[in-house]
Amino acid sequence: MKKSLILVGTQWGDEGKGKIVDYFSSKFKAVCRFQGGHNAGHTIYQGKEKFVLHLIPSGIFYDHVKCFIGQGVILSLDSLLSEIDEIESKGINLEGKLRISRYCSLLLPIHAKIDQLREDHKNSIGTTRRGIGPAYEDKTARRSIKAFDLEDKDLLKKKVFDLVSYYNYQIETIFNSTTFDPGEVLKELIEKYKKASKYFGDVTDTLEDIYGDGDPILYEGAQGTLLDVDYGTYPYVTSSNTLATSVGIGSGFPKSIFSDVLGVAKAYTTRVGEGPFPTELFCDDGKKIADIGNEYGATTGRPRRCGWLDLEALKYSAKLNNLTSLCITKLDVLDDFNQIKVCIGYQVDGELSSFKSRLLHKSKPIYKTIDGWGCSLKDAKNFNELPIEAKAFIELIEEFTKIPVSLISNGPNREDLILR
Ligand code: IMP
């Protein structure tokens, strides 16, 4: 049997995972999200139409694919319902095609409000302002409203009232802002859940059945390794575990951990929000990458910080995720550069350093400069058709990380993919 596949971002998110999941979805019958929430923004093209999916797995446009949202995902009913509406307006019926774990913790509008108030107050980390952090905090603090709580109206009322009073106290005393009416929060929650309830059910057993029938599963990671709450650039991280190893917990299907792991990396590096970024460029080259790569957030529209590819960070990601192969995206964005730099290590105060160092914010990159290819990669259909300099770039990545590059994206369209 073909192995299941976990697809993860190896940088600070926005590696172009949507297109790659879309490509692999054609080969799997089930696609499952296992962490994060609607802070993700996976862009895919359906014919000429562009879709940005935030919660629903990117395989949704294939007739043969069933999509799952595991309990590791923090679920906003607002975001879910608007995504469902958008997809159904294109004539795709999601009933029987989308299943969400009833163990998911729900993200409520009050979480987004708290996230925004905190970001505007002090020590902003540049979150997506969607409430992801507070919702994950609630889960760990055991006060989350879980989807299954909607099945017990009395318990639900108590939990919602407790939660709202917990946050209202902060909203009033710390932020001096408008509080929430618990009765309204409860009413809205029940109304929204009524619309979405048919999509909730058991995910673990269904994944087990699909796998048991001999069909491998595609697991769609969100954000990126360097944003992992444990192994990323803490505290400038998201609030979930983004590593491939979190798939067992997040999907609820333990055999998911015996999958191949494909790491997606851009041919350069970007980051949104605050936090250390050793290869960040503040010169024209950075602006050029941003312009050609259209580096603006799919979820928030924020401009992304841009820099050269950081192989030291990529090696760290490769190890942590136990990558079996790599996909390099947006190689074509570098078409116009005479010289391309690649970071192969760091120095702090003249001493060699590594990504794991707590002094990442002081790390100066050590670069290797290679010749650019200076032509369009658009027409290359296989690895051999790439210019010698582009091949050398890919081979340098493989040599440094010891991970084979199995896929190269050389343009925004579905067909702009080189398989190796
Ligand atoms: P949060 O996930 O909204 O709490 O944001 C925490 C950090 O993760 C911020 O720096 C965000 O910009 C970043 N982040 C969250 N989701 C994504 C994503 O899908 N792509 C890129 N960065 C993200």
PDB file of all heavy atoms in Angstrom, residues 12-15 17 39-42 115 125-134 222-224 227 235-239 271-274 299-300 302 304, ligand 1:
ATOM      1  N   TRP A  12       8.556  29.944   8.095  1.00  0.00           N
ATOM      2  CA  TRP A  12       7.595  30.638   8.969  1.00  0.00           C
ATOM      3  C   TRP A  12       6.218  30.706   8.321  1.00  0.00           C
ATOM      4  O   TRP A  12       5.536  31.731   8.370  1.00  0.00           O
ATOM      5  CB  TRP A  12       8.106  32.041   9.294  1.00  0.00           C
ATOM      6  CG  TRP A  12       9.150  32.074  10.363  1.00  0.00           C
ATOM      7  CD1 TRP A  12       8.965  31.890  11.713  1.00  0.00           C
ATOM      8  CD2 TRP A  12      10.546  32.331  10.199  1.00  0.00           C
ATOM      9  NE1 TRP A  12      10.167  32.021  12.387  1.00  0.00           N
ATOM     10  CE2 TRP A  12      11.146  32.284  11.484  1.00  0.00           C
ATOM     11  CE3 TRP A  12      11.360  32.586   9.094  1.00  0.00           C
ATOM     12  CZ2 TRP A  12      12.507  32.492  11.686  1.00  0.00           C
ATOM     13  CZ3 TRP A  12      12.713  32.793   9.297  1.00  0.00           C
ATOM     14  CH2 TRP A  12      13.281  32.742  10.574  1.00  0.00           C
ATOM     15  N   GLY A  13       5.795  29.629   7.693  1.00  0.00           N
ATOM     16  CA  GLY A  13       4.492  29.614   7.029  1.00  0.00           C
ATOM     17  C   GLY A  13       4.568  30.256   5.656  1.00  0.00           C
ATOM     18  O   GLY A  13       5.634  30.747   5.238  1.00  0.00           O
ATOM     19  N   ASP A  14       3.444  30.211   4.934  1.00  0.00           N
ATOM     20  CA  ASP A  14       3.338  30.841   3.608  1.00  0.00           C
ATOM     21  C   ASP A  14       4.330  30.269   2.603  1.00  0.00           C
ATOM     22  O   ASP A  14       4.823  30.987   1.726  1.00  0.00           O
ATOM     23  CB  ASP A  14       3.536  32.375   3.697  1.00  0.00           C
ATOM     24  CG  ASP A  14       2.607  32.998   4.712  1.00  0.00           C
ATOM     25  OD1 ASP A  14       1.440  32.592   4.758  1.00  0.00           O
ATOM     26  OD2 ASP A  14       3.053  33.878   5.469  1.00  0.00           O
ATOM     27  N   GLU A  15       4.621  28.984   2.713  1.00  0.00           N
ATOM     28  CA  GLU A  15       5.596  28.374   1.795  1.00  0.00           C
ATOM     29  C   GLU A  15       4.966  27.978   0.464  1.00  0.00           C
ATOM     30  O   GLU A  15       5.648  27.474  -0.426  1.00  0.00           O
ATOM     31  CB  GLU A  15       6.226  27.124   2.432  1.00  0.00           C
ATOM     32  CG  GLU A  15       7.051  27.362   3.691  1.00  0.00           C
ATOM     33  CD  GLU A  15       6.205  27.254   4.945  1.00  0.00           C
ATOM     34  OE1 GLU A  15       4.963  27.127   4.826  1.00  0.00           O
ATOM     35  OE2 GLU A  15       6.783  27.302   6.055  1.00  0.00           O
ATOM     36  N   LYS A  17       2.042  25.989   0.453  1.00  0.00           N
ATOM     37  CA  LYS A  17       1.562  24.608   0.706  1.00  0.00           C
ATOM     38  C   LYS A  17       0.256  24.309  -0.021  1.00  0.00           C
ATOM     39  O   LYS A  17       0.014  23.175  -0.418  1.00  0.00           O
ATOM     40  CB  LYS A  17       1.372  24.372   2.213  1.00  0.00           C
ATOM     41  CG  LYS A  17       2.655  24.442   3.014  1.00  0.00           C
ATOM     42  CD  LYS A  17       2.418  24.165   4.470  1.00  0.00           C
ATOM     43  CE  LYS A  17       1.685  25.264   5.208  1.00  0.00           C
ATOM     44  NZ  LYS A  17       2.407  26.543   5.348  1.00  0.00           N
ATOM     45  N   ASN A  39      -6.174  30.959  11.025  1.00  0.00           N
ATOM     46  CA  ASN A  39      -4.989  31.801  10.785  1.00  0.00           C
ATOM     47  C   ASN A  39      -4.278  31.347   9.509  1.00  0.00           C
ATOM     48  O   ASN A  39      -3.507  32.095   8.920  1.00  0.00           O
ATOM     49  CB  ASN A  39      -4.020  31.775  11.978  1.00  0.00           C
ATOM     50  CG  ASN A  39      -3.738  30.387  12.516  1.00  0.00           C
ATOM     51  OD1 ASN A  39      -4.380  29.418  12.117  1.00  0.00           O
ATOM     52  ND2 ASN A  39      -2.793  30.270  13.426  1.00  0.00           N
ATOM     53  N   ALA A  40      -4.526  30.120   9.079  1.00  0.00           N
ATOM     54  CA  ALA A  40      -3.921  29.610   7.848  1.00  0.00           C
ATOM     55  C   ALA A  40      -4.614  30.239   6.641  1.00  0.00           C
ATOM     56  O   ALA A  40      -5.769  30.656   6.727  1.00  0.00           O
ATOM     57  CB  ALA A  40      -4.068  28.098   7.786  1.00  0.00           C
ATOM     58  N   GLY A  41      -3.912  30.292   5.532  1.00  0.00           N
ATOM     59  CA  GLY A  41      -4.525  30.783   4.286  1.00  0.00           C
ATOM     60  C   GLY A  41      -3.892  30.036   3.143  1.00  0.00           C
ATOM     61  O   GLY A  41      -2.793  30.366   2.724  1.00  0.00           O
ATOM     62  N   HIS A  42      -4.548  28.992   2.684  1.00  0.00           N
ATOM     63  CA  HIS A  42      -3.970  28.166   1.627  1.00  0.00           C
ATOM     64  C   HIS A  42      -4.616  28.517   0.287  1.00  0.00           C
ATOM     65  O   HIS A  42      -5.799  28.286   0.072  1.00  0.00           O
ATOM     66  CB  HIS A  42      -4.130  26.673   1.972  1.00  0.00           C
ATOM     67  CG  HIS A  42      -3.315  26.291   3.159  1.00  0.00           C
ATOM     68  ND1 HIS A  42      -3.378  25.078   3.777  1.00  0.00           N
ATOM     69  CD2 HIS A  42      -2.377  26.989   3.849  1.00  0.00           C
ATOM     70  CE1 HIS A  42      -2.522  25.055   4.785  1.00  0.00           C
ATOM     71  NE2 HIS A  42      -1.915  26.201   4.850  1.00  0.00           N
ATOM     72  N   ASP A 115      -7.590  38.809  21.434  1.00  0.00           N
ATOM     73  CA  ASP A 115      -6.342  38.805  20.651  1.00  0.00           C
ATOM     74  C   ASP A 115      -6.038  40.232  20.171  1.00  0.00           C
ATOM     75  O   ASP A 115      -4.916  40.737  20.322  1.00  0.00           O
ATOM     76  CB  ASP A 115      -6.542  37.845  19.449  1.00  0.00           C
ATOM     77  CG  ASP A 115      -5.248  37.464  18.757  1.00  0.00           C
ATOM     78  OD1 ASP A 115      -4.179  37.941  19.167  1.00  0.00           O
ATOM     79  OD2 ASP A 115      -5.312  36.666  17.796  1.00  0.00           O
ATOM     80  N   ILE A 125       3.002  40.602  19.116  1.00  0.00           N
ATOM     81  CA  ILE A 125       3.860  39.668  18.377  1.00  0.00           C
ATOM     82  C   ILE A 125       3.413  39.580  16.912  1.00  0.00           C
ATOM     83  O   ILE A 125       3.916  38.770  16.157  1.00  0.00           O
ATOM     84  CB  ILE A 125       3.962  38.274  19.032  1.00  0.00           C
ATOM     85  CG1 ILE A 125       2.637  37.546  19.027  1.00  0.00           C
ATOM     86  CG2 ILE A 125       4.548  38.328  20.416  1.00  0.00           C
ATOM     87  CD1 ILE A 125       2.857  36.048  19.094  1.00  0.00           C
ATOM     88  N   GLY A 126       2.458  40.435  16.543  1.00  0.00           N
ATOM     89  CA  GLY A 126       2.028  40.459  15.138  1.00  0.00           C
ATOM     90  C   GLY A 126       1.192  39.248  14.782  1.00  0.00           C
ATOM     91  O   GLY A 126       1.388  38.631  13.736  1.00  0.00           O
ATOM     92  N   THR A 127       0.239  38.895  15.629  1.00  0.00           N
ATOM     93  CA  THR A 127      -0.620  37.738  15.330  1.00  0.00           C
ATOM     94  C   THR A 127      -1.549  38.065  14.165  1.00  0.00           C
ATOM     95  O   THR A 127      -1.620  39.215  13.716  1.00  0.00           O
ATOM     96  CB  THR A 127      -1.517  37.346  16.535  1.00  0.00           C
ATOM     97  OG1 THR A 127      -2.537  38.353  16.677  1.00  0.00           O
ATOM     98  CG2 THR A 127      -0.716  37.226  17.823  1.00  0.00           C
ATOM     99  N   THR A 128      -2.291  37.067  13.731  1.00  0.00           N
ATOM    100  CA  THR A 128      -3.280  37.310  12.671  1.00  0.00           C
ATOM    101  C   THR A 128      -4.527  37.996  13.244  1.00  0.00           C
ATOM    102  O   THR A 128      -5.473  38.268  12.519  1.00  0.00           O
ATOM    103  CB  THR A 128      -3.702  35.989  12.004  1.00  0.00           C
ATOM    104  OG1 THR A 128      -4.232  35.125  13.001  1.00  0.00           O
ATOM    105  CG2 THR A 128      -2.528  35.315  11.317  1.00  0.00           C
ATOM    106  N   ARG A 129      -4.550  38.216  14.552  1.00  0.00           N
ATOM    107  CA  ARG A 129      -5.640  38.909  15.268  1.00  0.00           C
ATOM    108  C   ARG A 129      -6.960  38.135  15.184  1.00  0.00           C
ATOM    109  O   ARG A 129      -8.032  38.712  15.286  1.00  0.00           O
ATOM    110  CB  ARG A 129      -5.838  40.337  14.729  1.00  0.00           C
ATOM    111  CG  ARG A 129      -4.583  41.176  14.797  1.00  0.00           C
ATOM    112  CD  ARG A 129      -4.729  42.495  14.059  1.00  0.00           C
ATOM    113  NE  ARG A 129      -5.583  43.441  14.754  1.00  0.00           N
ATOM    114  CZ  ARG A 129      -5.176  44.325  15.636  1.00  0.00           C
ATOM    115  NH1 ARG A 129      -3.912  44.401  15.944  1.00  0.00           N
ATOM    116  NH2 ARG A 129      -6.026  45.139  16.213  1.00  0.00           N
ATOM    117  N   ARG A 130      -6.884  36.839  14.949  1.00  0.00           N
ATOM    118  CA  ARG A 130      -8.107  36.057  14.765  1.00  0.00           C
ATOM    119  C   ARG A 130      -8.524  35.279  16.011  1.00  0.00           C
ATOM    120  O   ARG A 130      -9.501  34.536  15.979  1.00  0.00           O
ATOM    121  CB  ARG A 130      -7.913  35.101  13.601  1.00  0.00           C
ATOM    122  CG  ARG A 130      -7.690  35.886  12.326  1.00  0.00           C
ATOM    123  CD  ARG A 130      -7.851  35.083  11.096  1.00  0.00           C
ATOM    124  NE  ARG A 130      -8.194  35.986  10.014  1.00  0.00           N
ATOM    125  CZ  ARG A 130      -8.726  35.615   8.864  1.00  0.00           C
ATOM    126  NH1 ARG A 130      -8.968  34.350   8.636  1.00  0.00           N
ATOM    127  NH2 ARG A 130      -9.022  36.497   7.951  1.00  0.00           N
ATOM    128  N   GLY A 131      -7.733  35.384  17.071  1.00  0.00           N
ATOM    129  CA  GLY A 131      -8.129  34.731  18.322  1.00  0.00           C
ATOM    130  C   GLY A 131      -7.519  33.359  18.543  1.00  0.00           C
ATOM    131  O   GLY A 131      -7.922  32.631  19.459  1.00  0.00           O
ATOM    132  N   ILE A 132      -6.522  33.025  17.724  1.00  0.00           N
ATOM    133  CA  ILE A 132      -5.958  31.675  17.801  1.00  0.00           C
ATOM    134  C   ILE A 132      -5.302  31.419  19.169  1.00  0.00           C
ATOM    135  O   ILE A 132      -5.557  30.394  19.808  1.00  0.00           O
ATOM    136  CB  ILE A 132      -4.915  31.460  16.664  1.00  0.00           C
ATOM    137  CG1 ILE A 132      -5.540  31.742  15.296  1.00  0.00           C
ATOM    138  CG2 ILE A 132      -4.269  30.093  16.742  1.00  0.00           C
ATOM    139  CD1 ILE A 132      -6.658  30.834  14.866  1.00  0.00           C
ATOM    140  N   GLY A 133      -4.479  32.383  19.613  1.00  0.00           N
ATOM    141  CA  GLY A 133      -3.780  32.218  20.891  1.00  0.00           C
ATOM    142  C   GLY A 133      -4.755  32.019  22.051  1.00  0.00           C
ATOM    143  O   GLY A 133      -4.690  31.014  22.768  1.00  0.00           O
ATOM    144  N   PRO A 134      -5.702  32.954  22.254  1.00  0.00           N
ATOM    145  CA  PRO A 134      -6.660  32.777  23.356  1.00  0.00           C
ATOM    146  C   PRO A 134      -7.448  31.464  23.260  1.00  0.00           C
ATOM    147  O   PRO A 134      -7.726  30.828  24.281  1.00  0.00           O
ATOM    148  CB  PRO A 134      -7.585  33.988  23.206  1.00  0.00           C
ATOM    149  CG  PRO A 134      -6.746  35.022  22.519  1.00  0.00           C
ATOM    150  CD  PRO A 134      -5.816  34.279  21.620  1.00  0.00           C
ATOM    151  N   ALA A 222      -0.416  23.269   8.661  1.00  0.00           N
ATOM    152  CA  ALA A 222      -0.625  24.710   8.467  1.00  0.00           C
ATOM    153  C   ALA A 222       0.484  25.462   9.208  1.00  0.00           C
ATOM    154  O   ALA A 222       1.168  24.895  10.052  1.00  0.00           O
ATOM    155  CB  ALA A 222      -1.990  25.122   9.008  1.00  0.00           C
ATOM    156  N   GLN A 223       0.650  26.727   8.870  1.00  0.00           N
ATOM    157  CA  GLN A 223       1.760  27.550   9.371  1.00  0.00           C
ATOM    158  C   GLN A 223       3.087  26.858   9.008  1.00  0.00           C
ATOM    159  O   GLN A 223       3.155  26.207   7.983  1.00  0.00           O
ATOM    160  CB  GLN A 223       1.652  27.809  10.887  1.00  0.00           C
ATOM    161  CG  GLN A 223       0.521  28.756  11.266  1.00  0.00           C
ATOM    162  CD  GLN A 223      -0.838  28.084  11.347  1.00  0.00           C
ATOM    163  OE1 GLN A 223      -0.956  27.037  11.967  1.00  0.00           O
ATOM    164  NE2 GLN A 223      -1.836  28.666  10.745  1.00  0.00           N
ATOM    165  N   GLY A 224       4.087  26.963   9.862  1.00  0.00           N
ATOM    166  CA  GLY A 224       5.374  26.369   9.503  1.00  0.00           C
ATOM    167  C   GLY A 224       6.144  25.975  10.746  1.00  0.00           C
ATOM    168  O   GLY A 224       5.834  26.423  11.862  1.00  0.00           O
ATOM    169  N   LEU A 227       7.292  28.359  13.407  1.00  0.00           N
ATOM    170  CA  LEU A 227       6.222  28.984  14.205  1.00  0.00           C
ATOM    171  C   LEU A 227       5.679  28.008  15.244  1.00  0.00           C
ATOM    172  O   LEU A 227       4.703  28.310  15.944  1.00  0.00           O
ATOM    173  CB  LEU A 227       5.078  29.437  13.298  1.00  0.00           C
ATOM    174  CG  LEU A 227       5.326  30.655  12.409  1.00  0.00           C
ATOM    175  CD1 LEU A 227       4.175  30.843  11.418  1.00  0.00           C
ATOM    176  CD2 LEU A 227       5.507  31.921  13.252  1.00  0.00           C
ATOM    177  N   PRO A 235       8.979  33.722  21.853  1.00  0.00           N
ATOM    178  CA  PRO A 235       7.512  33.702  21.862  1.00  0.00           C
ATOM    179  C   PRO A 235       6.868  34.139  20.546  1.00  0.00           C
ATOM    180  O   PRO A 235       5.643  34.285  20.497  1.00  0.00           O
ATOM    181  CB  PRO A 235       7.178  34.702  22.967  1.00  0.00           C
ATOM    182  CG  PRO A 235       8.264  35.724  22.865  1.00  0.00           C
ATOM    183  CD  PRO A 235       9.497  34.975  22.434  1.00  0.00           C
ATOM    184  N   TYR A 236       7.679  34.376  19.518  1.00  0.00           N
ATOM    185  CA  TYR A 236       7.108  34.840  18.242  1.00  0.00           C
ATOM    186  C   TYR A 236       6.681  33.642  17.410  1.00  0.00           C
ATOM    187  O   TYR A 236       7.299  33.318  16.387  1.00  0.00           O
ATOM    188  CB  TYR A 236       8.124  35.725  17.521  1.00  0.00           C
ATOM    189  CG  TYR A 236       8.509  36.917  18.363  1.00  0.00           C
ATOM    190  CD1 TYR A 236       9.712  36.942  19.056  1.00  0.00           C
ATOM    191  CD2 TYR A 236       7.640  37.988  18.500  1.00  0.00           C
ATOM    192  CE1 TYR A 236      10.047  38.022  19.862  1.00  0.00           C
ATOM    193  CE2 TYR A 236       7.962  39.073  19.302  1.00  0.00           C
ATOM    194  CZ  TYR A 236       9.160  39.078  19.985  1.00  0.00           C
ATOM    195  OH  TYR A 236       9.478  40.138  20.788  1.00  0.00           O
ATOM    196  N   VAL A 237       5.678  32.980  17.872  1.00  0.00           N
ATOM    197  CA  VAL A 237       5.214  31.720  17.274  1.00  0.00           C
ATOM    198  C   VAL A 237       3.693  31.711  17.275  1.00  0.00           C
ATOM    199  O   VAL A 237       3.068  32.589  17.864  1.00  0.00           O
ATOM    200  CB  VAL A 237       5.719  30.504  18.101  1.00  0.00           C
ATOM    201  CG1 VAL A 237       7.223  30.359  17.993  1.00  0.00           C
ATOM    202  CG2 VAL A 237       5.290  30.626  19.564  1.00  0.00           C
ATOM    203  N   THR A 238       3.120  30.705  16.649  1.00  0.00           N
ATOM    204  CA  THR A 238       1.682  30.523  16.789  1.00  0.00           C
ATOM    205  C   THR A 238       1.454  29.639  18.023  1.00  0.00           C
ATOM    206  O   THR A 238       2.399  29.259  18.710  1.00  0.00           O
ATOM    207  CB  THR A 238       1.061  29.940  15.501  1.00  0.00           C
ATOM    208  OG1 THR A 238      -0.364  30.006  15.633  1.00  0.00           O
ATOM    209  CG2 THR A 238       1.489  28.507  15.236  1.00  0.00           C
ATOM    210  N   SER A 239       0.210  29.289  18.311  1.00  0.00           N
ATOM    211  CA  SER A 239      -0.051  28.603  19.582  1.00  0.00           C
ATOM    212  C   SER A 239      -0.269  27.105  19.428  1.00  0.00           C
ATOM    213  O   SER A 239      -0.683  26.449  20.374  1.00  0.00           O
ATOM    214  CB  SER A 239      -1.249  29.240  20.275  1.00  0.00           C
ATOM    215  OG  SER A 239      -0.943  30.577  20.558  1.00  0.00           O
ATOM    216  N   ARG A 271       8.519  36.014   6.315  1.00  0.00           N
ATOM    217  CA  ARG A 271       7.924  35.925   7.653  1.00  0.00           C
ATOM    218  C   ARG A 271       6.944  37.075   7.801  1.00  0.00           C
ATOM    219  O   ARG A 271       7.218  38.184   7.328  1.00  0.00           O
ATOM    220  CB  ARG A 271       9.078  35.978   8.668  1.00  0.00           C
ATOM    221  CG  ARG A 271       8.723  36.365  10.059  1.00  0.00           C
ATOM    222  CD  ARG A 271       9.703  35.942  11.125  1.00  0.00           C
ATOM    223  NE  ARG A 271       8.857  35.483  12.216  1.00  0.00           N
ATOM    224  CZ  ARG A 271       9.242  34.999  13.354  1.00  0.00           C
ATOM    225  NH1 ARG A 271      10.507  34.852  13.609  1.00  0.00           N
ATOM    226  NH2 ARG A 271       8.370  34.615  14.262  1.00  0.00           N
ATOM    227  N   VAL A 272       5.804  36.807   8.457  1.00  0.00           N
ATOM    228  CA  VAL A 272       4.899  37.907   8.817  1.00  0.00           C
ATOM    229  C   VAL A 272       4.865  38.019  10.323  1.00  0.00           C
ATOM    230  O   VAL A 272       4.997  37.022  11.018  1.00  0.00           O
ATOM    231  CB  VAL A 272       3.448  37.748   8.284  1.00  0.00           C
ATOM    232  CG1 VAL A 272       3.310  38.266   6.870  1.00  0.00           C
ATOM    233  CG2 VAL A 272       2.967  36.335   8.388  1.00  0.00           C
ATOM    234  N   GLY A 273       4.662  39.218  10.811  1.00  0.00           N
ATOM    235  CA  GLY A 273       4.664  39.402  12.255  1.00  0.00           C
ATOM    236  C   GLY A 273       6.076  39.624  12.760  1.00  0.00           C
ATOM    237  O   GLY A 273       7.038  39.693  11.989  1.00  0.00           O
ATOM    238  N   GLU A 274       6.178  39.736  14.091  1.00  0.00           N
ATOM    239  CA  GLU A 274       7.468  40.050  14.713  1.00  0.00           C
ATOM    240  C   GLU A 274       8.315  38.792  14.873  1.00  0.00           C
ATOM    241  O   GLU A 274       7.843  37.684  14.651  1.00  0.00           O
ATOM    242  CB  GLU A 274       7.218  40.659  16.108  1.00  0.00           C
ATOM    243  CG  GLU A 274       6.339  41.887  16.111  1.00  0.00           C
ATOM    244  CD  GLU A 274       6.917  43.009  15.268  1.00  0.00           C
ATOM    245  OE1 GLU A 274       8.131  43.253  15.375  1.00  0.00           O
ATOM    246  OE2 GLU A 274       6.162  43.623  14.494  1.00  0.00           O
ATOM    247  N   THR A 299      -4.117  35.647   4.465  1.00  0.00           N
ATOM    248  CA  THR A 299      -5.160  35.773   5.485  1.00  0.00           C
ATOM    249  C   THR A 299      -5.381  37.223   5.878  1.00  0.00           C
ATOM    250  O   THR A 299      -6.505  37.676   6.031  1.00  0.00           O
ATOM    251  CB  THR A 299      -4.769  34.936   6.723  1.00  0.00           C
ATOM    252  OG1 THR A 299      -4.714  33.575   6.320  1.00  0.00           O
ATOM    253  CG2 THR A 299      -5.780  35.067   7.846  1.00  0.00           C
ATOM    254  N   THR A 300      -4.293  37.976   6.034  1.00  0.00           N
ATOM    255  CA  THR A 300      -4.435  39.332   6.575  1.00  0.00           C
ATOM    256  C   THR A 300      -4.073  40.421   5.569  1.00  0.00           C
ATOM    257  O   THR A 300      -4.308  41.594   5.840  1.00  0.00           O
ATOM    258  CB  THR A 300      -3.504  39.511   7.800  1.00  0.00           C
ATOM    259  OG1 THR A 300      -2.163  39.244   7.354  1.00  0.00           O
ATOM    260  CG2 THR A 300      -3.865  38.563   8.925  1.00  0.00           C
ATOM    261  N   ARG A 302      -1.211  41.450   5.020  1.00  0.00           N
ATOM    262  CA  ARG A 302      -0.024  42.183   5.480  1.00  0.00           C
ATOM    263  C   ARG A 302       1.171  41.904   4.567  1.00  0.00           C
ATOM    264  O   ARG A 302       1.343  40.764   4.116  1.00  0.00           O
ATOM    265  CB  ARG A 302       0.370  41.717   6.894  1.00  0.00           C
ATOM    266  CG  ARG A 302      -0.557  42.165   7.978  1.00  0.00           C
ATOM    267  CD  ARG A 302      -0.070  41.695   9.332  1.00  0.00           C
ATOM    268  NE  ARG A 302      -0.172  40.252   9.486  1.00  0.00           N
ATOM    269  CZ  ARG A 302       0.258  39.583  10.546  1.00  0.00           C
ATOM    270  NH1 ARG A 302       0.860  40.218  11.529  1.00  0.00           N
ATOM    271  NH2 ARG A 302       0.098  38.282  10.629  1.00  0.00           N
ATOM    272  N   ARG A 304       4.761  40.747   3.664  1.00  0.00           N
ATOM    273  CA  ARG A 304       5.656  39.810   4.350  1.00  0.00           C
ATOM    274  C   ARG A 304       7.084  40.331   4.330  1.00  0.00           C
ATOM    275  O   ARG A 304       7.495  40.957   3.352  1.00  0.00           O
ATOM    276  CB  ARG A 304       5.607  38.442   3.670  1.00  0.00           C
ATOM    277  CG  ARG A 304       4.235  37.811   3.743  1.00  0.00           C
ATOM    278  CD  ARG A 304       4.177  36.504   2.964  1.00  0.00           C
ATOM    279  NE  ARG A 304       2.826  35.953   2.993  1.00  0.00           N
ATOM    280  CZ  ARG A 304       2.259  35.312   1.978  1.00  0.00           C
ATOM    281  NH1 ARG A 304       2.910  35.109   0.856  1.00  0.00           N
ATOM    282  NH2 ARG A 304       1.034  34.842   2.099  1.00  0.00           N
TER     283      ARG A 304
HETATM  284  P1  IMP B   1      -1.452  33.665  15.452  1.00  0.00           P
HETATM  285  O1  IMP B   1      -1.303  32.279  14.903  1.00  0.00           O
HETATM  286  O2  IMP B   1      -2.547  34.448  14.791  1.00  0.00           O
HETATM  287  O3  IMP B   1      -1.541  33.677  16.934  1.00  0.00           O
HETATM  288  O4  IMP B   1      -0.110  34.464  15.082  1.00  0.00           O
HETATM  289  C1  IMP B   1       1.155  34.141  15.668  1.00  0.00           C
HETATM  290  C2  IMP B   1       2.281  34.301  14.659  1.00  0.00           C
HETATM  291  O5  IMP B   1       2.145  33.294  13.658  1.00  0.00           O
HETATM  292  C3  IMP B   1       2.280  35.631  13.918  1.00  0.00           C
HETATM  293  O6  IMP B   1       3.610  36.006  13.638  1.00  0.00           O
HETATM  294  C4  IMP B   1       1.554  35.299  12.621  1.00  0.00           C
HETATM  295  O7  IMP B   1       1.901  36.184  11.577  1.00  0.00           O
HETATM  296  C5  IMP B   1       2.064  33.903  12.369  1.00  0.00           C
HETATM  297  N1  IMP B   1       1.144  33.084  11.562  1.00  0.00           N
HETATM  298  C6  IMP B   1       0.017  32.469  11.953  1.00  0.00           C
HETATM  299  N2  IMP B   1      -0.547  31.794  10.946  1.00  0.00           N
HETATM  300  C7  IMP B   1       0.246  31.969   9.889  1.00  0.00           C
HETATM  301  C8  IMP B   1       0.220  31.483   8.542  1.00  0.00           C
HETATM  302  O8  IMP B   1      -0.660  30.713   8.123  1.00  0.00           O
HETATM  303  N3  IMP B   1       1.235  31.882   7.740  1.00  0.00           N
HETATM  304  C9  IMP B   1       2.250  32.680   8.186  1.00  0.00           C
HETATM  305  N4  IMP B   1       2.329  33.133   9.423  1.00  0.00           N
HETATM  306  C10 IMP B   1       1.337  32.790  10.272  1.00  0.00           C
END
